Amino acid sequence: MRVARLESEDDFEGWRLAARAFASEGVTPSDIVWQVGDGAVDLFAGEAAGVAGGHARIAPLRVTREFLDLARDAALHSEPERFSLLYTLLLRLLAQPQALQDRADPLVRRIEGLARNVRRDSHKMHAFVRFRELADQDGPRFIAWFEPEHHILRANAGFFVDRFTNMRWSILTPRGSLHWDGMALAEGPPATRADAPGDDPVESVWKAYYSAIFNPARVMPQAMLKEMPRKYWKNMPETALVPQLIAGARKRELEMIEQARSAPERGKGSGRGQIRGQVGGPEALVLLAGEAEGCQRCPLWKPATQTVFGEGPHDAEIMIVGEQPGDQEDLAGRPFVGPAGAVFDRAMAQVGIDRTRAYITNAVKHFKFEPRGKRRIHARPNTGEIEACRWWIDQERAIVRPRLIIAMGATAARSLTGRAVTVGQERGRPVALPDGTPCWITVHPSYLLRLPPDADAEAEFARYVADIRSAVESLAEAA
């Protein structure tokens, strides 16, 4: 029996060196005891094998990058047999290099499951660590408590150093602690929940804001629990509010519906463009646009230059929704100012509508693109990105309260209807949205710019104009 001593529970490099040495000697998995630290070992085990020295002279083994990445994650799992399982898979790959591609193999599936759980735990750590401010002799220090399921603390240290470089912080966990002083990272012993501070003054402000933006009509408890299990709730200030907010969600939703029913109709009384219980008029759009400037609901904000919000009158009768900003819109910060915007303006002129009379926006507020040299090529938003931005569209509609909406492109149609839409099948006729607003669907003007050379571009443009004209005429008929 051979013993491999690893320095810590997350000592992947130690496992790698020992595994390489054992594999070179042909040692079978059942003949190895993987020992972490200086604890007691198997009574029948032989002399412990170090993880440096002689092993460093062993010739490297050829394995794929895919296996190394998989093993690096799986080694952080709390499963006691993980190192033995990884060594068993290593031997199999040396004999059968394609074995990792057999996803039905029980060993491969088990190790992939370990790695997947570790990656999920790391994601939860990135999302749910909450720092609370304290003061010491050197000034502000931020302390966070987190309870990882696996040995991920050191592996995620770089994430927090990069994100909070200018802060002095500590992350306390039952498995160890990390301390950053602005210059160097230090490790510390395990901690308890009592070592972490309670609320700080900023949290009361955050709780008030969270309660204010909580939308009862969009509550999906099962989806929320899937992304944020209850075990993390006690560490996050806003989650203390969740049970009572959910409990009152249905009541608040019914109140919102009743307020919408009792709100004055357009053009009648003094309530034009306003909704009871919230700010109406142009001020509401200005505040909403300002809030959207810091939107990070999906990853598209990172490479984009800025948020491109809607523009137009707060009481516009027509709302036009495109798909997403393009390259020039991203730079200018305004919708429909690029080549597609020129096509749109030409169509609006033929219909006889000044674009400044309509409220113009996009389903997705950030430019999604793929870099091609110095160019940025448009990329279609995915379902998650569309859903993340639906909140903004809902708020714009609630403020503007248009009598007619024109959706240009499949992304816009999906955002408004909540389902996948085939533009060719739905264009040219109204689709009633859940609140009763008629929505006319047509192509996006960028579609006309991408027509093949043999297509009749003028005929397609004429059809696009006809779609817009039909929608506008339906508004006049309903007046």
Side-chain angles (χ1 to χ4, degrees):
M1 186 70 69
R2 305 288 294 277
V3 177
R5 288 193 182 275
L6 305 180
E7 293 182 359
S8 61
E9 295 283 4
D10 60 353
D11 186 9
F12 172 74
E13 291 302 323
W15 172 86
R16 186 176 178 180
L17 287 171
R20 186 174 67 186
F22 289 140
S24 298
E25 297 176 26
V27 181
T28 62
S30 60
D31 288 335
I32 304 173
V33 174
W34 297 93
Q35 179 67 30
V36 176
D38 298 323
V41 298
D42 191 297
L43 292 175
F44 301 100
E47 183 179 352
V51 295
H55 290 339
R57 296 191 294 271
I58 302 297
L61 304 175
R62 292 187 176 275
V63 293
T64 64
R65 172 61 61 182
E66 182 182 9
F67 170 73
L68 286 177
D69 292 341
L70 178 68
R72 198 181 305 275
D73 287 335
L76 303 181
H77 202 279
S78 54
E79 165 60 59
E81 298 182 11
R82 63 193 182 281
F83 295 119
S84 180
L85 293 172
L86 287 171
Y87 181 69
T88 302
L89 181 57
L90 171 64
L91 294 185
R92 185 175 301 177
L93 289 173
L94 293 176
Q96 306 171 26
Q98 302 302 317
L100 198 59
Q101 307 308 314
D102 184 4
R103 295 302 193 265
D105 182 272
L107 178 61
V108 173
R109 290 177 59 188
R110 185 174 181 185
I111 291 178
E112 285 184 336
L114 299 182
R116 186 164 52 250
N117 289 339
V118 166
R119 290 191 291 268
R120 184 182 297 114
D121 203 24
S122 292
H123 170 72
K124 300 304 183 188
M125 184 175 181
H126 295 173
F128 301 142
V129 160
R130 289 293 187 272
F131 288 103
R132 291 175 166 89
E133 184 176 357
L134 295 179
D136 58 22
Q137 65 273 16
D138 297 320
R141 185 170 194 89
F142 297 86
I143 313 294
W145 169 256
F146 187 70
E147 299 174 44
E149 296 182 0
H150 308 294
H151 307 289
I152 63 169
L153 183 61
R154 290 197 294 186
N156 287 282
F159 172 87
F160 292 96
V161 170
D162 291 342
R163 176 155 293 192
F164 305 109
T165 304
N166 297 322
M167 289 170 43
R168 297 169 58 245
W169 52 261
S170 296
I171 299 177
L172 312 180
T173 83
R175 299 177 182 272
S177 56
L178 294 174
H179 307 279
W180 173 255
D181 64 2
M183 298 292 292
L185 185 70
E187 297 179 30
T192 66
R193 182 68 180 85
D195 297 322
D199 294 357
D200 65 22
V202 176
E203 289 189 5
S204 61
V205 179
W206 166 241
K207 289 178 180 178
Y209 173 75
Y210 185 82
S211 297
I213 66 171
F214 186 83
N215 187 346
R218 300 294 292 275
V219 173
M220 295 185 290
Q222 295 304 316
M224 184 172 66
L225 286 169
K226 181 179 179 181
E227 288 300 315
M228 185 172 60
R230 290 184 186 275
K231 64 169 289 186
Y232 300 106
W233 288 24
K234 59 183 177 294
N235 302 327
M236 303 172 65
E238 67 270 26
T239 48
L241 305 173
V242 170
Q244 66 192 61
L245 291 173
I246 290 179
R250 182 56 181 166
K251 179 181 177 182
R252 291 181 61 195
E253 184 178 2
L254 293 173
E255 289 175 351
M256 290 169 64
I257 293 172
E258 183 58 33
Q259 288 175 0
R261 287 173 177 169
S262 61
E265 296 181 11
R266 280 193 167 277
K268 296 182 180 180
S270 59
R272 178 177 171 83
Q274 297 187 6
I275 296 178
R276 287 175 55 187
Q278 72 180 84
V279 179
E283 298 85 359
L285 285 176
V286 171
L287 291 172
L288 189 64
E291 185 178 351
E293 288 179 1
C295 179
Q296 297 182 9
R297 288 175 169 265
C298 74
L300 294 185
W301 68 273
K302 296 180 181 179
T305 303
Q306 59 190 314
T307 302
V308 180
F309 206 68
E311 64 179 24
H314 73 280
D315 56 355
E317 293 191 329
I318 302 174
M319 174 182 282
I320 298 173
V321 182
E323 296 194 324
Q324 68 158 344
D327 180 77
Q328 294 189 30
E329 287 81 4
D330 174 70
L331 297 174
R334 296 183 56 212
F336 286 92
V337 296
V343 175
F344 169 69
D345 287 344
R346 179 184 163 205
M348 293 287 280
Q350 290 201 16
V351 175
I353 297 180
D354 182 352
R355 71 174 275 169
T356 61
R357 289 171 46 199
Y359 185 83
I360 302 170
T361 189
N362 282 301
V364 175
K365 309 302 186 189
H366 287 109
F367 179 33
K368 182 177 183 178
F369 61 90
E370 297 177 358
R372 302 274 181 84
K374 295 183 178 180
R375 300 178 61 201
R376 300 188 298 175
I377 305 301
H378 168 280
R380 182 182 296 276
N382 61 38
T383 302
E385 292 154 355
I386 296 171
E387 286 299 311
C389 252
R390 280 187 69 184
W391 191 87
W392 298 112
I393 287 290
D394 288 347
Q395 299 307 305
E396 289 174 295
R397 289 179 57 199
I399 295 170
V400 178
R401 297 177 64 206
R403 292 178 56 203
L404 167 71
I405 297 178
I406 300 176
M408 300 194 301
T411 296
R414 183 179 190 113
S415 173
L416 292 163
T417 65
R419 59 182 174 85
V421 172
T422 302
V423 174
Q425 295 177 356
E426 301 289 350
R427 68 185 297 187
R429 60 186 180 88
V431 175
L433 299 180
D435 64 354
T437 306
C439 176
W440 289 67
I441 299 171
T442 186
V443 297
H444 193 276
S446 62
Y447 162 79
L448 303 175
L449 297 173
R450 298 193 300 267
L451 291 170
D454 57 345
D456 189 339
E458 284 304 315
E460 289 294 332
F461 177 75
R463 188 181 178 195
Y464 172 60
V465 172
D467 288 344
I468 299 176
R469 180 175 287 113
S470 296
V472 174
E473 289 175 352
S474 73
L475 183 63
E477 294 171 359

